[in-house]
Amino acid sequence: MFERAARGLSLTSQFHEVKMAAVLERSFIEICGFERETLHRFREVTVNLGLNALPGGVKFPDGAGAFHYEESGKLLSVTSNRFIHWSTSGDTVQLVEQSLDTNLLNNAVKVRFTHCTVLPGGVNIQETLNNVIILISTNQSVHRLVLPHPTRMYRSELVTELHMQSIFTDVGKLSLQDPSHSAIIPTTVGQTGSPGTSAAWLNHKGEAHYALASPAGGIMVITLPPHDTQGSVSVVELKRSSMMQRLSGWMPSAIRGEQSPADLALSLVVRELEEDTFIFALCQDHKLRMWSFREQVCLLEADMLEYMPACKGVKRLAGQGHRLRLTFCATTGLCVAVYLAVPQRGQFIVLQLVGTDNNRYSLEHISSLFSTQETLVDFTLTSTDIWGLWVDDSNSTVVKYINFEHNTAGQWNQVFVQPPPEDEVHIGMDQDPRETYLEVLFSPLRFTASAIVKALQIYRRGSERITDLSWESLKKEVTVAVESELQSSVTEFEFSQEEYRQLQVEFWSKFYACCLQYQEALAMPLGLTVSTHTSMVCLLKKGFVSFLLPCFAVDHLYLSCDEYVVSEDETPVTEDPEVGRDVLQLVQCLRLVSDAVSGEMAYEMERALEHVESPERTAELILENMLSNDNDNVIEDIQNKLQDIRNPMAAMMVLLREMDLETDSEVGGEGLIVPGQTLNMRISLSQLYGSSSAVSLVCQAVCNMAMTRALFCRDLLILQKLYLRFGDNVFLGGGAQLLQLQQDLIPRSSHLLSSYYLLRHISQTLTSAVPMDTIDANLQHLTVLELSDSPALNANTSVLSPQTIVELFYHTVARKVIISQIFSQQQSPSAGSALLLWPHMVSSVVNLLAQLLWPSNPGFQFPECLMVNCQYTQLQEYVRLIGPWCQVNIGSCRFMLGQCYLANGEGHKAVQCFQEAATEVEKEEFLMKLTGTEEDEAASTPRLQYYNKVLRLLEDVGLPELVIQLASLAITEAVSDVNSQAALWTRIFKHHLDLGHNSEAYEALTQNPDSSMQLDCLRQLVVVLCERSQLQDLVQFSYVNLHDEVVSIIESRARGLDLLAHNYYELLYAFHINRHNYRKAGTVMFEFGMRLGREVRTHLGLQKQVNCYLAALNCLRLIRPEYAWIVQPTSGAVYERPGVSPKRNSDGDFASEPVKRQVDILELKDLEKEYMLARSRLTLAQHHPPSAAIAGSASAVEMVALLVQTGLFDCALSLCQNFKLTLTSVFEGLAFKCIKLQYGGEESQNEAWSWLAANQLSSVVNTKESSATDEAWRLLASYLDRYPSANGQHHRCVISKLLSHGVPLPDWLVKSYKGVDAAALLRLYLNYDLLDAAAELVMEYVDALLGRGHQYFGIERPLSATSALVWLPYTSIDQLLQALNETQTNTGIYNKVRDKLDDYHKLVDQTSRRRLLTR
């Protein structure tokens, strides 16, 4: 019974369109709203009026109460689902404002009244239009706190924040000692003791009245003026004497009637009716008195014992524990309920106040109700019910309620309260004691943080105060404390594992016992509150508030006490009375089974469910154990009861149907936007039941429901196995029913058991903190999957810390869906003003949440929420638990598992899961949502869309190997879809290339069916391999049917990119060479060389150019001579890159198309010339680097000039010979350099050596040390010898150069030229007016003709009759003679020349004659 009572509740929707999980019963179940903070943040306010403590002060028991805002049941109100609860203890009042819709900040305050004690009933809260006013009575003073009303705290009606300020935010600013807020109760002479109880109210004028039960009898009423007006405090005493005296100020009256302590008020209640205020006092003499405050007279006195049967003896007892409550409603008017605390015979009496015309009143008895419970803690009267709260002999809480007018034989309705946690924790042999105890202690359902903190402080012997710790930090502190205690108690150094385990159990159980004590203290009930506006019932306890939720029939049946089940003759789970009786009988059997299941066997079932083993097999095991240990004949009792059940199949089916939360369609809509709803309405709906209190409450309700029903299903499964064992003995239907049981009902029960165990598990599993980098990575993944509209973890976090994963789900996703579902049918304008009736609303919310979590429903929001919020470990566990038995959303679960593996870095496992999910793509909604996006419409099938999405995800994570693996699989799916195949092959190519798998990348490229994509891939392959310098691979690929494309790509890259930064020409050359296409290879290198000359005018560029031409020559030399030619690449249009926009001229017009030129054919000799020219350029650049910039595109003639200028005469001469150019410029240049050296200084001599060294001097042995000038002349002489010319042209140009600069001719030069062309030398002398030299030359020449020194003039034989004819340059000689004759200074020379000529002429004459004679 204890175990059953610890389990919870299932709720349903009030709306017919939502499938009902179960039917509402009359009973309720308690759900505790534990706080998760380690320390509750109360702000402390102390009120000190300078009073001293009363001698022998009375101690009042702790009390509690609550105030519900008038509009707490209205959806569009700021105060919807909002209330204030308080507890009193000694001199302290703790006030907490709570909302189920929003989290209230600064909502807890602790007010301490120095040397005073708060009276029972001493806290009263009322609201006005602008304020919430709290009236507090102590034994020596009265107080008033005036706080702003929530509706006045927000400027706008639209409150959209998740957090709001409480009305207690500014309580510290109030001056509570001020006379307008506090007053001291006057003491009369001789009075002893203090008031025993109190009541307070606010009248319509704003005056605060405090009715105090005087210790000597009668009532004292203290009145404070309205808080915003000046005035004095007044006191009125109400007593039984016929004459009443009003006391003004603080002066006590001297006139007193004799008072009997019999009229000592034990309980006071107040109600304003019309213009009067009635004060009801239940007195020690068992009489109820009603006072008129306006008239100050007692209008009514009634003896309550008249309503008590057999009241003899009670009259003599003073009624110490009597209580009084009041309610008012428009239909019944004013009703009071009196509780007479009589030992063993507690009784409630409900009376209605009836008035007559002449201001007389009487009480009409409505109902008397009896209770066998002992100690009443609190009770509440509503317009229809009495709710009672008791504590029984074992200090357990008991709550019941009853309709005081309509009830069956005075039977109270049950409320299943939460029992304290188990006294002992069962630890399985395979469990670690520490982990097990920590799991129990820090489960969200058993212990409050306060209890654990207090236990920890005691356990650590209060050595230090525990500060505000987080939940995780508290868990660590507890572990350290217990383990330290264990270590310090150990005296031996060695233990067996079993001994250490025993020690662990001992110390952890000791700490656990400590926590139990504090939890029990905190769970002590102080009061009960029922909201008249929302019908919400709360239990007010010492340490927390718990809420009562309506119970459903199926849970009610399992949780009810035996007498209830036996006494009920019908159940709302079925309309058929016969089936109803069978169900009740079956439930009684289930109770017997439940009681017979031992703790060990219960643990076995838990373990089986946790390890996803078959519940059916475990049920058989438990049954075997029950049969073998059946000492009390339980099985026999069960068998007897089973025989009373007429149709067990129908009864079981009814119960299974009630527990099955499966729906036909997905629960909930897409959002809160419902047509016709106003903005206010939508905002209110967006906050409804959204506070951390509501989140915790709803999710704990689901957890309780799951716990209860898991036990229910377990016991039902065992009972079904028992049925199978008994067979025909208990079955009237025989074999057919047994077959149905075995094939249908047992699997269904097993399935339900696994489902509820799963719900229980996830309801108790805490969320994990997520690092920021994980959140960022997850957001990236969600963007890829296009699920990023889901909330991120930090977008809307709840105050709850820690959260369970169900709370996270409810908070971020489910609540919106549920509220939308509930209100989607309420589109009328009155929907916003509809009352938020707590029992109906919370039932709907919890039921719909359970349906959203139900694994067999098509909705997949819960796992999706876990994924979105990075709860990967929890998601993995969820998928593991549902794997073997859940046949819904199989593919989606595999996908989620893949996501988890991906997040944890287990890519290969992830891909396996993604592959398994692919088969379900077209069947499951989540996977359809995943694939159904616009941009993926190119893919022909959903499965291909799915693969595309997953591939993008894997790419985003950076797992190229897995992308290749999955894409290869996807290709098999895309047999008929060319576009998809092309995209997949492109993807495979890309990732192979990225990974450096060049051959595989090439293979993928060749498989691509789309030519344009293939070309793109080919281009990328070329570029990437070039950048990586993996040219060997690039060249060696076969390129079947792609040869021209490759060449085209490389050519376009070569022509479009920087020549030195990229080596595409060399690549193309290697490509052609590899394929023995030497002519193309030569063409490529020649083009490369040409471009280098134009574009790269540096030494490096010239060097490359030489190498290019050399390579081109080599290529052509490898071809047969008749084919050794290439087409000359043309400059201009060919080098424009494809795809470039058309160019414009300076006027902005499009440039005209280039003119088609004729094709030039270059042969081997042309290439050799180009090579020579390039060599000369390089030589020039080597000796004179600045020349490189201009040499690049210089022609042969220009190059000769540049070489001569630099002094590279050998090179220049070689170039002239190759290009058949005249050597004149070379000789003139060298002559000029000789002149410069002849007349230059030492500096020019030093410079000359560098260029002289670059020319090859003839190897003449010279013993004498020579200067640079000598060497230069020698070089000139050697050139004249080496390069003879017709008519001594080279000599003539040298001599001309020398003479033009006025340089005397070297003898060797004159001598050399005389032998070549004496006449030309003469002409040169004449041209430069060298008359003496000319005359001497003429005379020497004549002598040579005459036979003297003829060999120096190149004359073979002098003048004679037998020799060849000779001649003289008469024209030049005549010019000489003419010039000599004209100048007087040269007369002697003139005569000599004339004489010499005369001699010559004589000899000519003689010789001529002889020749004639010889003919």
Side-chain angles (χ1 to χ4, degrees):
M1 188 57 209
F2 177 86
E3 193 176 74
R4 287 200 307 275
R7 315 306 186 217
L9 155 73
S10 161
L11 302 171
T12 187
S13 170
Q14 62 193 347
F15 301 103
H16 60 86
E17 290 191 16
V18 181
K19 176 183 181 293
M20 301 187 80
V23 190
L24 274 173
E25 248 292 358
R26 294 189 301 278
S27 57
F28 278 73
I29 186 155
E30 178 193 9
I31 303 293
C32 301
F34 287 171
E35 93 286 359
R36 305 273 174 84
E37 298 168 351
T38 47
L39 293 175
H40 211 59
R41 293 177 177 82
F42 279 100
R43 287 176 305 149
E44 299 199 6
V45 176
T46 303
V47 181
N48 189 347
L49 299 180
L51 297 165
N52 296 318
L54 292 176
V58 179
K59 283 193 175 179
F60 299 113
D62 294 353
F67 161 76
H68 300 267
Y69 289 95
E70 194 172 333
E71 293 194 338
S72 60
K74 290 186 180 175
L75 177 63
L76 296 179
S77 169
V78 168
T79 56
S80 65
N81 290 311
R82 189 160 165 173
F83 62 101
I84 301 169
H85 60 87
W86 66 85
S87 63
T88 63
S89 179
D91 62 351
T92 304
V93 177
Q94 286 187 169
L95 293 147
V96 178
E97 186 180 21
Q98 203 163 343
S99 167
L100 296 176
D101 293 354
T102 54
N103 294 316
L104 300 176
L105 303 174
N106 305 306
N107 65 326
V109 64
K110 188 183 287 185
V111 186
R112 179 171 279 111
F113 303 96
T114 312
H115 300 312
C116 298
T117 305
V118 181
L119 296 176
V123 180
N124 184 277
I125 302 179
Q126 285 180 249
E127 61 181 317
T128 64
L129 206 56
N130 296 316
N131 298 104
V132 173
I133 296 174
I134 303 175
L135 308 175
I136 301 174
S137 313
T138 73
N139 61 346
Q140 297 193 72
S141 57
V142 291
H143 304 268
R144 172 172 57 193
L145 278 69
V146 181
L147 302 166
H149 195 278
T151 54
R152 295 291 176 264
M153 291 181 70
Y154 309 101
R155 292 178 184 174
S156 165
E157 284 185 0
L158 304 179
V159 182
T160 57
E161 296 87 359
L162 186 68
H163 304 276
M164 290 166 65
Q165 292 292 342
S166 163
I167 61 168
F168 295 124
T169 297
D170 296 326
V171 73
K173 297 178 183 177
L174 299 176
S175 306
L176 298 180
Q177 283 92 344
D178 198 75
S180 63
H181 290 111
S182 300
I184 298 169
I185 297 173
T187 53
T188 52
V189 180
Q191 179 182 323
T192 57
S194 64
T197 185
S198 65
W201 74 99
L202 202 68
N203 67 11
H204 60 277
K205 298 176 185 172
E207 294 173 326
H209 303 284
Y210 303 84
L212 309 172
S214 177
I219 301 168
M220 177 191 294
V221 182
I222 299 173
T223 304
L224 297 183
H227 67 89
D228 49 1
T229 58
Q230 294 294 319
S232 59
V233 178
S234 62
V235 181
V236 170
E237 249 186 289
L238 304 176
K239 49 194 175 182
R240 281 194 303 154
S241 66
S242 55
M243 189 173 73
M244 294 294 173
Q245 175 67 44
R246 187 183 178 91
L247 303 175
S248 299
W250 295 114
M251 289 299 293
S253 168
I255 305 168
R256 289 190 185 281
E258 286 299 318
Q259 291 183 342
S260 161
D263 66 349
L264 176 68
L266 300 174
S267 186
L268 296 173
V269 291
V270 178
R271 177 72 198 185
E272 276 193 297
L273 275 181
E274 297 165 356
E275 293 183 2
D276 199 355
T277 302
F278 296 136
I279 303 171
F280 293 85
L282 182 58
C283 301
Q284 199 165 249
D285 57 0
H286 317 296
K287 290 184 178 174
L288 176 66
R289 296 181 173 85
M290 184 178 85
W291 298 82
S292 163
F293 179 62
R294 185 180 64 183
E295 305 296 333
Q296 299 183 9
V297 293
C298 180
L299 299 177
L300 185 67
E301 185 175 293
D303 188 350
M304 293 296 105
L305 294 182
E306 291 177 8
Y307 303 104
M308 177 174 267
C311 58
K312 289 181 181 177
V314 177
K315 213 173 186 68
R316 293 194 299 275
L317 297 172
Q320 293 300 324
H322 295 347
R323 305 288 178 94
L324 183 60
R325 295 288 182 269
L326 175 149
T327 187
F328 179 85
C329 72
T331 53
T332 58
L334 195 150
C335 291
V336 291
V338 173
Y339 175 72
L340 299 178
V342 178
Q344 309 298 325
R345 296 166 55 192
Q347 179 181 347
F348 292 92
I349 303 161
V350 183
L351 305 164
Q352 184 177 2
L353 185 68
V354 180
T356 56
D357 296 337
N358 54 357
N359 207 19
R360 290 183 179 275
Y361 293 92
S362 63
L363 292 170
E364 184 178 315
H365 177 261
I366 293 177
S367 174
S368 289
L369 303 160
F370 301 93
S371 167
T372 56
Q373 302 294 337
E374 283 298 317
T375 312
L376 182 76
V377 177
D378 191 15
F379 81 97
T380 299
L381 177 68
T382 71
S383 57
T384 56
D385 301 314
I386 290 177
W387 288 80
L389 169 63
W390 293 266
V391 175
D392 66 12
D393 297 337
S394 60
N395 216 23
S396 299
T397 304
V398 177
V399 183
K400 295 179 184 177
Y401 80 99
I402 191 168
N403 185 306
F404 54 75
E405 282 191 282
H406 310 289
N407 56 67
T408 309
Q411 186 176 15
W412 291 72
N413 293 302
Q414 298 173 98
V415 174
F416 306 114
V417 296
Q418 288 289 337
E422 296 86 346
D423 291 336
E424 290 181 6
V425 176
H426 178 80
I427 300 168
M429 289 308 294
D430 56 344
Q431 289 180 303
D432 177 48
R434 178 174 65 186
E435 291 300 321
T436 310
Y437 271 102
L438 282 174
E439 191 180 325
V440 172
L441 285 168
F442 287 90
S443 130
L445 293 173
R446 292 183 176 90
F447 291 92
T448 62
S450 309
I452 299 172
V453 167
K454 287 179 179 175
L456 183 57
Q457 281 177 330
I458 293 297
Y459 201 78
R460 296 202 302 202
R461 298 176 182 84
S463 54
E464 57 186 88
R465 186 155 185 79
I466 292 171
T467 51
D468 193 4
L469 296 173
S470 71
W471 197 251
E472 281 302 311
S473 306
L474 182 59
K475 189 184 279 192
K476 286 177 187 168
E477 289 288 327
V478 167
T479 308
V480 168
V482 177
E483 294 292 321
S484 303
E485 188 79 7
L486 189 152
Q487 302 290 342
S488 61
S489 70
V490 169
T491 52
E492 297 178 30
F493 294 104
E494 288 188 11
F495 285 102
S496 71
Q497 200 168 348
E498 189 53 41
E499 286 172 325
Y500 183 68
R501 181 185 167 86
Q502 287 302 323
L503 271 176
Q504 273 191 309
V505 171
E506 180 186 330
F507 280 88
W508 276 102
S509 61
K510 182 178 166 189
F511 180 77
Y512 182 77
C514 208
C515 292
L516 275 177
Q517 290 176 6
Y518 281 106
Q519 184 62 31
E520 190 177 344
L522 290 171
M524 178 61 66
L526 301 180
L528 180 74
T529 173
V530 182
S531 167
T532 55
H533 313 293
T534 63
S535 304
M536 180 170 70
V537 187
C538 297
L539 288 187
L540 309 169
K541 303 194 174 187
K542 182 82 175 167
F544 54 91
V545 177
S546 63
F547 298 78
L548 301 189
L549 278 63
C551 195
F552 287 102
V554 69
D555 303 303
H556 165 86
L557 289 171
Y558 191 72
L559 295 172
S560 293
C561 313
D562 284 335
E563 62 265 25
Y564 278 88
V565 177
V566 173
S567 63
E568 288 182 12
D569 57 354
E570 60 178 28
T571 173
V573 295
T574 174
E575 294 177 2
D576 186 337
E578 291 290 327
V579 178
R581 278 195 291 276
D582 283 349
V583 166
L584 291 171
Q585 286 287 334
L586 193 64
V587 169
Q588 289 177 45
C589 294
L590 287 174
R591 292 175 168 295
L592 292 171
V593 171
S594 177
D595 293 339
V597 175
S598 65
E600 288 79 10
M601 286 297 103
Y603 171 70
E604 278 303 313
M605 181 60 86
E606 291 282 315
R607 197 189 60 73
L609 290 165
E610 186 186 349
H611 294 154
V612 208
E613 296 168 2
S614 166
E616 297 175 35
R617 198 171 300 120
T618 313
E620 286 174 9
L621 229 145
I622 296 172
L623 182 57
E624 292 294 337
N625 181 274
M626 285 168 60
L627 289 166
S628 58
N629 298 314
D630 186 16
N631 301 324
D632 301 329
N633 295 324
V634 175
I635 303 297
E636 194 178 327
D637 295 346
I638 294 172
Q639 189 171 0
N640 293 335
K641 282 190 179 295
L642 289 179
Q643 288 173 339
D644 295 337
I645 302 174
R646 294 179 183 81
N647 189 346
M649 294 295 104
M652 286 180 197
M653 287 175 77
V654 164
L655 290 172
L656 290 173
R657 188 191 67 234
E658 281 299 315
M659 285 190 287
D660 194 349
L661 295 176
E662 191 170 334
T663 57
D664 297 329
S665 59
E666 189 176 347
V667 178
E670 284 302 309
L672 289 170
I673 306 301
V674 177
Q677 287 182 348
T678 62
L679 180 62
N680 276 17
M681 179 75 169
R682 294 205 300 270
I683 288 172
S684 297
L685 289 177
S686 73
Q687 295 174 325
L688 187 60
Y689 302 131
S691 74
S692 57
S693 309
V695 170
S696 172
L697 184 64
V698 169
C699 298
Q700 285 189 32
V702 170
C703 186
N704 268 306
M705 174 186 75
M707 290 164 81
T708 304
R709 296 191 180 183
L711 290 174
F712 197 130
C713 294
R714 180 200 71 187
D715 297 343
L716 184 57
L717 193 58
I718 296 168
L719 190 66
Q720 287 168 338
K721 289 292 180 182
L722 194 59
Y723 257 117
L724 281 182
R725 183 173 286 266
F726 288 153
D728 295 336
N729 295 337
V730 293
F731 266 109
L732 301 175
Q737 286 195 326
L738 283 173
L739 191 66
Q740 184 190 3
L741 179 66
Q742 190 161 11
Q743 293 186 346
D744 178 27
L745 299 184
I746 288 180
R748 278 176 67 186
S749 301
S750 174
H751 189 278
L752 285 176
L753 174 54
S754 298
S755 299
Y756 279 114
Y757 173 80
L758 176 73
L759 255 63
R760 194 188 88 187
H761 173 80
I762 59 176
S763 300
Q764 295 180 344
T765 303
L766 298 177
T767 56
S768 312
V770 186
M772 276 311 294
D773 55 345
T774 308
I775 293 176
D776 293 340
N778 187 46
L779 282 175
Q780 210 170 338
H781 296 179
L782 294 176
T783 307
V784 171
L785 296 173
E786 295 171 46
L787 297 174
S788 47
D789 57 331
S790 305
L793 188 69
N794 53 356
N796 203 16
T797 43
S798 167
V799 175
L800 285 175
S801 177
Q803 281 180 292
T804 65
I805 53 176
V806 171
E807 286 167 348
L808 172 72
F809 172 60
Y810 173 76
H811 181 71
T812 54
V813 178
R815 186 181 61 82
K816 294 175 186 171
V817 174
I818 290 165
I819 299 301
S820 169
Q821 177 84 352
I822 290 174
F823 282 88
S824 60
Q825 291 111 31
Q826 298 191 1
Q827 294 181 17
S828 62
S830 63
S833 58
L835 286 179
L836 298 170
L837 289 174
W838 170 253
H840 293 299
M841 287 298 292
V842 79
S843 301
S844 305
V845 170
V846 175
N847 180 56
L848 287 169
L849 176 58
Q851 287 184 359
L852 284 171
L853 294 169
W854 194 247
S856 300
N857 280 338
F860 199 64
Q861 292 102 321
F862 177 65
E864 188 180 343
C865 169
L866 293 185
M867 180 190 75
V868 165
N869 291 289
C870 312
Q871 302 299 310
Y872 299 119
T873 311
Q874 295 85 338
L875 182 51
Q876 269 181 278
E877 180 66 5
Y878 175 84
V879 174
R880 182 187 74 82
L881 286 174
I882 70 170
W885 51 267
C886 182
Q887 299 306 308
V888 179
N889 289 317
I890 297 171
S892 304
C893 285
R894 300 314 293 167
F895 180 84
M896 286 299 173
L897 192 56
Q899 274 288 88
C900 295
Y901 284 138
L902 211 54
N904 296 333
E906 298 179 277
H908 288 284
K909 289 184 182 177
V911 168
Q912 184 64 35
C913 291
F914 291 146
Q915 287 179 17
E916 290 165 6
T919 56
E920 306 297 321
V921 165
E922 296 166 33
K923 305 171 192 170
E924 297 177 15
E925 188 161 342
F926 171 75
L927 293 176
M928 284 194 279
K929 179 175 81 170
L930 202 65
T931 57
T933 52
E934 296 79 6
E935 76 178 60
D936 279 338
E937 281 178 3
S940 59
T941 64
R943 199 175 293 192
L944 284 175
Q945 292 173 5
Y946 166 78
Y947 277 127
N948 283 342
K949 193 71 72 81
V950 174
L951 287 169
R952 281 209 297 277
L953 182 63
L954 292 172
E955 285 170 342
D956 188 60
V957 179
L959 297 170
E961 297 99 333
L962 302 179
V963 173
I964 293 165
Q965 182 186 331
L966 195 64
S968 304
L969 179 75
I971 284 171
T972 61
E973 297 280 341
V975 178
S976 58
D977 186 348
V978 175
N979 290 340
S980 296
Q981 275 195 334
L984 289 166
W985 279 119
T986 303
R987 212 173 219 134
I988 292 172
F989 162 81
K990 174 186 176 298
H991 290 291
H992 272 313
L993 191 59
D994 290 346
L995 290 168
H997 304 161
N998 299 342
S999 301
E1000 290 85 349
Y1002 171 72
E1003 188 63 35
L1005 176 154
T1006 58
Q1007 297 288 335
N1008 201 318
D1010 186 299
S1011 56
S1012 66
M1013 282 189 176
Q1014 193 176 44
L1015 208 57
D1016 290 342
C1017 292
L1018 190 60
R1019 191 172 292 111
Q1020 198 175 351
L1021 180 74
V1022 171
V1023 173
V1024 170
L1025 291 190
C1026 281
E1027 286 172 355
R1028 292 184 192 154
S1029 302
Q1030 294 175 331
L1031 304 180
Q1032 185 74 26
D1033 287 352
L1034 188 57
V1035 168
Q1036 287 182 344
F1037 291 139
S1038 59
Y1039 301 111
V1040 178
N1041 300 326
L1042 291 171
H1043 185 275
D1044 293 343
E1045 285 81 356
V1046 177
V1047 172
S1048 172
I1049 288 167
I1050 302 175
E1051 276 182 354
S1052 74
R1053 299 287 298 178
R1055 290 167 180 169
L1057 296 173
D1058 182 12
L1059 289 171
L1060 292 183
H1062 301 85
N1063 56 354
Y1064 287 104
Y1065 277 109
E1066 283 115 327
L1067 170 63
L1068 198 52
Y1069 170 73
F1071 185 85
H1072 288 312
I1073 288 290
N1074 194 56
R1075 285 157 178 74
H1076 307 296
N1077 195 339
Y1078 298 118
R1079 184 194 290 164
K1080 281 202 172 177
T1083 307
V1084 167
M1085 293 317 281
F1086 187 72
E1087 181 182 323
F1088 189 20
M1090 284 178 63
R1091 282 192 63 199
L1092 284 166
R1094 273 200 310 273
E1095 298 170 29
V1096 188
R1097 298 187 177 183
T1098 62
H1099 179 268
L1100 177 63
L1102 292 172
Q1103 177 70 59
K1104 273 182 170 289
Q1105 189 182 36
V1106 168
N1107 293 341
C1108 289
Y1109 287 154
L1110 199 56
L1113 276 171
N1114 286 341
C1115 288
L1116 290 194
R1117 283 183 179 136
L1118 292 170
I1119 309 172
R1120 282 191 291 175
E1122 60 266 32
Y1123 298 115
W1125 54 266
I1126 61 172
V1127 176
Q1128 178 169 8
T1130 55
S1131 59
V1134 173
Y1135 298 105
E1136 293 295 340
R1137 278 166 290 171
V1140 173
S1141 60
K1143 300 295 176 251
R1144 299 172 187 267
N1145 59 23
S1146 56
D1147 298 327
D1149 300 325
F1150 287 113
S1152 59
E1153 286 290 317
V1155 179
K1156 300 288 182 188
R1157 297 181 177 85
Q1158 71 179 61
V1159 176
D1160 293 331
I1161 301 295
L1162 296 178
E1163 295 181 339
L1164 197 58
K1165 59 180 184 294
D1166 301 317
L1167 258 67
E1168 287 171 346
K1169 281 186 179 181
E1170 286 297 329
Y1171 170 67
M1172 288 302 299
L1173 187 56
R1175 284 287 314 168
S1176 62
R1177 287 173 185 146
L1178 178 62
T1179 307
L1180 176 65
Q1182 286 169 340
H1183 286 87
H1184 188 248
S1187 303
I1190 54 172
S1193 60
S1195 65
V1197 175
E1198 291 165 341
M1199 274 308 301
V1200 169
L1202 289 168
L1203 290 165
V1204 168
Q1205 187 181 334
T1206 315
L1208 300 174
F1209 297 104
D1210 275 358
C1211 192
L1213 288 164
S1214 175
L1215 197 62
C1216 288
Q1217 285 184 315
N1218 274 295
F1219 280 85
K1220 303 207 169 19
L1221 302 176
T1222 173
L1223 305 182
T1224 307
S1225 59
V1226 181
F1227 283 102
E1228 283 182 350
L1230 181 53
F1232 182 66
K1233 280 196 179 290
C1234 290
I1235 295 165
K1236 281 176 73 179
L1237 282 171
Q1238 186 89 37
Y1239 297 103
E1242 188 178 344
E1243 187 179 348
S1244 63
Q1245 292 277 333
N1246 295 337
E1247 287 175 2
W1249 284 112
S1250 65
W1251 62 262
L1252 280 167
N1255 295 291
Q1256 197 172 3
L1257 287 164
S1258 57
S1259 55
V1260 176
V1261 178
N1262 195 351
T1263 54
K1264 184 182 78 159
E1265 185 178 337
S1266 63
S1267 66
T1269 311
D1270 297 337
E1271 291 298 309
W1273 285 115
R1274 196 155 71 84
L1275 181 66
L1276 180 59
S1278 72
Y1279 283 160
L1280 288 169
D1281 287 345
R1282 205 182 309 163
Y1283 302 104
S1285 59
N1287 302 323
Q1289 184 182 353
H1290 298 159
H1291 288 78
R1292 185 166 62 247
C1293 73
V1294 170
I1295 291 168
S1296 179
K1297 191 71 169 176
L1298 293 173
L1299 293 178
S1300 67
H1301 284 82
V1303 177
L1305 299 178
D1307 290 343
W1308 62 266
L1309 182 58
V1310 174
K1311 184 180 175 184
S1312 173
Y1313 195 33
K1314 275 196 302 189
V1316 175
D1317 193 352
L1321 179 61
L1322 177 61
R1323 283 193 292 274
L1324 283 170
Y1325 280 158
L1326 290 173
N1327 286 346
Y1328 291 101
D1329 290 337
L1330 298 175
L1331 300 179
D1332 292 350
E1336 189 177 344
L1337 177 64
V1338 169
M1339 288 189 287
E1340 284 182 1
Y1341 191 53
V1342 172
D1343 282 341
L1345 289 174
L1346 293 175
R1348 292 188 291 276
H1350 61 86
Q1351 66 273 17
Y1352 297 115
F1353 284 91
I1355 298 170
E1356 292 181 7
R1357 293 173 67 188
L1359 180 65
S1360 68
T1362 58
S1363 65
L1365 298 179
V1366 293
W1367 59 276
L1368 277 177
Y1370 287 109
T1371 306
S1372 299
I1373 291 171
D1374 287 346
Q1375 288 173 350
L1376 171 65
L1377 291 172
Q1378 174 71 26
L1380 289 172
N1381 193 31
E1382 286 175 358
T1383 55
Q1384 296 177 355
T1385 54
N1386 293 323
T1387 307
I1389 300 171
Y1390 173 79
N1391 292 329
K1392 283 182 181 179
V1393 172
R1394 284 294 332 164
D1395 291 345
K1396 184 65 72 177
L1397 283 171
D1398 288 342
D1399 291 344
Y1400 172 71
H1401 288 142
K1402 286 175 184 175
L1403 183 60
V1404 169
D1405 184 52
Q1406 291 173 9
T1407 308
S1408 300
R1409 289 177 189 280
R1410 286 175 187 160
R1411 168 98 28 124
L1412 289 170
L1413 288 173
T1414 57
R1415 284 185 181 180

